[in-house]
Amino acid sequence: MLAVVLAGLGLADRAGIPALAGLPRPAEAPPDTAPDEPPTRITLGPGGRDVRLWGDLNDGAAARLRRVLDANPGVVRLHLTSDGGLVDEGAAIGELVAERGLVTYVPDYCVSACTLAFVRGRERLIVEDSRLGFHAPYEPGAFGSMVQVDSTEERGRYLAAGLEPDFVDQALGTPSRDIWIPDAARLRAAGVVTRVVGPGDLPDSTLDDDDSLAGARAAVLRAVDLLAPFAAQRPGVLDGIAARYRDAYRQGRSESEGLDLIRAEAAGAIRTAFLGTDDATMADLGRLVLDAMAASGSEEACRAVGRDGDLVAAAEALPDRRGLGRLGGLLDRAFAGPAPLAARARPTPLLAAASTLHGHAPGCAALRHRFAGMLARGDTLRLREALLGRTARRLEASALPGEP
């Protein structure tokens, strides 16, 4: 007899993403599936309170999850990221969830048979842009066809979990080749979701599918695409950021903490890339920063750009990705020159260091006035200091005539 399937239609694609080292890799249950069928990835998160389940729900997924739960009685939450799979596996995982009183959480997407597991949670959590997808169950037919089957059992499971009957009718009335993805408000109103959480509330799940260095590197590049030139020009810098993000993920840091880490690391790496660059490139960088301060829209955002030297924020402040294109072009020019002679410590912009030392923060208007004055006078030395810190002055002073 063919297995009844509830499988999603290619939703596994979202850009998304997280410092102490030396933590062990998450424990993973051994696969029960055949070698030619990738097993559902089931890992124990740091601290033993979260289990992350990622991938299609195929044969043996529920049994493997039970073994992980038996070995780790402190688990309280099950993270679900799945495009669907076998109805029996989704239902069996749901039974485990109910039996253990687990909270279920969808950080990204949970489609079709996955929802049978999700709705059994003691609490059912999503983030605002999570996607829950529903449609009628089916059996695979000849030549890739879908043969719709009776959905009485699935209807009973949804209703027993407390879902609104009209919602269940629409969910199971959606043809097997289609997918219905209600918004968060509809999910809450129908009793599918009990709470919408923020990206800083729970451990990050961005690397649940692949927490290797390559997976972390890909997540870093999705989060800050300005780092793409580093992959070819300074791969060690990119790998360092990826490793620190992966460490944070393995510690159970939240998604927002992980993104903050990536952005801060990226801003420091980009500033370092401009150490020792030529005056014309530095002047163009100063004009970009000045334009970004004017377009930033708030005192806080303006200070982040002009005082703290956050070049990622500067690029993003300009509309229509123009800032990203301009900063990307300037990075290409910086990489075309000699590598910076600075020490590995990242430079601190002079205005940020001065405001920390003297306990005051210049306002946006004052920052813009300073940068405009430096540019008008052609004072690239002070511009370097303002954007890159004292290290820039030392580098320029060391480049005396006649020295190699």
Side-chain angles (χ1 to χ4, degrees), residues 364-387:
C364 185
L367 288 169
R368 291 172 61 187
H369 179 75
R370 292 184 193 183
F371 274 92
M374 293 176 212
L375 287 166
R377 296 190 302 271
D379 192 346
T380 55
L381 178 57
R382 290 195 180 277
L383 186 61
R384 288 179 192 276
E385 286 186 337
L387 288 173

Side-chain angles (χ1 to χ4, degrees), residues 23-349:
L23 293 174
R25 292 179 61 87
E28 183 168 355
D32 284 345
T33 50
D36 59 346
E37 186 178 64
T40 313
R41 181 178 166 89
I42 300 171
T43 59
L44 178 69
R49 294 175 58 81
D50 296 83
V51 167
R52 283 85 175 265
L53 183 153
W54 188 93
D56 289 347
L57 305 181
N58 46 33
D59 283 325
R64 292 173 54 226
L65 176 61
R66 179 179 290 278
R67 291 199 295 272
V68 172
L69 295 176
D70 286 344
N72 299 278
V75 170
V76 297
R77 276 184 301 265
L78 176 63
H79 300 223
L80 293 162
T81 305
S82 173
D83 232 355
L86 300 177
V87 166
D88 286 349
E89 291 295 335
I93 291 171
E95 291 295 330
L96 275 174
V97 166
E99 174 189 316
R100 307 297 173 100
L102 300 181
V103 173
T104 49
Y105 169 50
V106 174
D108 196 339
Y109 58 90
C110 174
V111 178
S112 306
C114 176
T115 62
L116 294 171
F118 174 75
V119 299
R120 301 299 302 277
R122 174 172 55 83
E123 280 192 274
R124 302 188 285 270
L125 313 178
I126 61 170
V127 292
E128 188 65 37
D129 60 350
S130 296
R131 292 162 293 171
L132 295 179
F134 301 85
H135 62 181
Y138 67 93
E139 288 181 350
F143 306 108
S145 64
M146 294 180 175
V147 180
Q148 198 152 325
V149 298
D150 179 68
S151 60
T152 300
E153 288 188 12
E154 289 71 33
R155 183 182 304 277
R157 291 184 178 114
Y158 285 139
L159 293 174
L163 275 60
E164 177 190 84
D166 288 346
F167 181 96
V168 175
D169 289 342
Q170 185 168 353
L172 294 176
T174 302
S176 302
R177 285 196 176 275
D178 295 332
I179 196 81
W180 177 42
I181 303 177
D183 61 24
R186 181 74 178 97
L187 292 167
R188 289 198 70 176
V192 182
V193 167
T194 60
R195 186 156 56 100
V196 178
V197 299
D201 294 341
L202 294 176
D204 186 16
S205 285
T206 302
L207 300 183
D208 285 359
D209 60 330
D210 180 6
D211 69 344
S212 67
L213 183 60
R217 189 187 305 115
V220 165
L221 290 173
R222 288 196 301 269
V224 181
D225 56 6
L226 282 167
L227 289 171
F230 286 83
Q233 302 292 339
R234 310 269 168 83
V237 172
L238 181 60
D239 285 348
I241 296 173
R244 288 184 285 277
Y245 168 60
R246 182 177 63 173
D247 286 344
Y249 163 82
R250 291 179 176 177
Q251 293 166 29
R253 304 279 288 276
S254 71
E255 182 175 350
S256 59
E257 288 175 314
L259 182 58
D260 288 347
L261 183 152
I262 292 171
R263 290 177 62 87
E265 293 270 350
I270 291 170
R271 283 199 303 273
T272 301
F274 284 104
L275 290 174
T277 194
D278 61 87
D279 286 352
T281 300
M282 186 55 56
D284 286 343
L285 182 63
R287 282 186 279 272
L288 168 61
V289 168
L290 186 61
D291 291 345
M293 283 191 285
S296 58
S298 73
E299 282 285 326
E300 182 181 4
C302 180
R303 287 196 297 268
V305 172
R307 185 197 68 187
D308 301 335
D310 188 342
L311 297 178
V312 175
E316 293 173 346
L318 297 179
D320 303 324
R321 295 183 62 86
R322 286 180 300 186
L324 297 171
R326 284 173 64 181
L327 185 55
L330 292 173
L331 274 172
D332 289 341
R333 285 162 59 179
F335 284 137
L341 304 174
R344 292 190 177 186
R346 292 195 187 89
T348 300

